[in-house]
Amino acid sequence: MNAVEASCAHIEKALGRSPAFRKVDDRLFIVKQGSSYVMISIVPTGPRSGHDDRAVVRVWSQVVSGVRPEPSLFRQLLILNSQLRFGAFAYVPDGELILFAHSILGGQDMDPKELVATVHDVALVADEYDDRIVARYGGARMQDVIEESAMAHLFGGAADDGAAWKEGAE
């Protein structure tokens, strides 16, 4: 079993029993915790220093979407990065997203307890700071974005279904 496969197996074993856990793709998983959605991806790192097979497990949460890119926001994120015990905030211009991310080593020797602690802590940080960032800089918490999208889908689908039903009844 290569490092990516071993990492996936560890992730599914450590988190798979939780009702909040979903496998999205071969190397992508998601866990909902509080108002946070935590993504877990496995990145193969390839041969290095005589090692044939390595993988990194990236754990991140989209904290806020559509936030105004202001210098004071970036300064505040850098200050937070220096104070947090692990992980880091990042800004992604495409979608005006703020992420919080941390990576651990994957592979055969990946520690399931470290994985669970990482997912938990990434969710806690995202859940703690999403409201603060939205209140000061605008944007929307990822939970709100997802719920809004789901509601539009449900009501949009219900309206379409109702129209089709009425047409069929006439």
Side-chain angles (χ1 to χ4, degrees):
M1 181 180 302
N2 68 31
V4 170
E5 292 166 342
S7 300
C8 290
H10 282 303
I11 290 167
E12 290 187 52
K13 184 176 181 182
L15 302 171
R17 292 185 181 175
S18 169
F21 174 82
R22 295 285 182 270
K23 182 175 182 174
V24 177
D25 204 353
D26 288 339
R27 295 185 296 187
L28 180 63
F29 308 87
I30 190 166
V31 177
K32 177 159 180 5
Q33 188 171 358
S35 65
S36 303
Y37 292 84
V38 178
M39 278 65 77
I40 306 162
S41 65
I42 296 89
V43 180
T45 60
R48 287 180 41 196
S49 306
H51 294 88
D52 294 333
D53 188 35
R54 291 181 178 240
V56 171
V57 177
R58 296 191 67 225
V59 181
W60 81 98
S61 182
Q62 295 180 356
V63 181
V64 177
S65 173
V67 68
R68 295 182 305 266
E70 298 179 13
S72 61
L73 167 65
F74 299 145
R75 182 177 186 277
Q76 187 62 43
L77 293 177
L78 286 171
I79 291 168
L80 286 170
N81 285 347
S82 73
Q83 296 170 346
L84 293 168
R85 65 183 175 93
F86 88 132
F89 284 98
Y91 180 78
V92 180
D94 188 21
E96 297 180 321
L97 299 171
I98 294 178
L99 308 177
F100 184 76
H102 183 71
S103 297
I104 62 174
L105 293 176
Q108 297 286 349
D109 298 325
M110 186 173 87
D111 183 354
K113 289 180 183 177
E114 181 183 12
L115 171 69
V116 170
T118 299
V119 170
H120 180 260
D121 289 353
V122 166
L124 284 176
V125 171
D127 196 27
E128 180 177 339
Y129 286 98
D130 58 359
D131 292 322
R132 294 180 190 186
I133 294 168
V134 168
R136 186 161 180 189
Y137 299 102
R141 298 179 314 154
M142 291 313 298
Q143 178 178 350
D144 298 332
V145 170
I146 291 169
E147 287 175 359
E148 200 172 289
S149 176
M151 293 299 281
H153 178 73
L154 284 174
F155 288 124
D160 292 344
D161 291 343
W165 180 79
K166 287 178 186 176
E167 289 172 11
E170 293 177 354

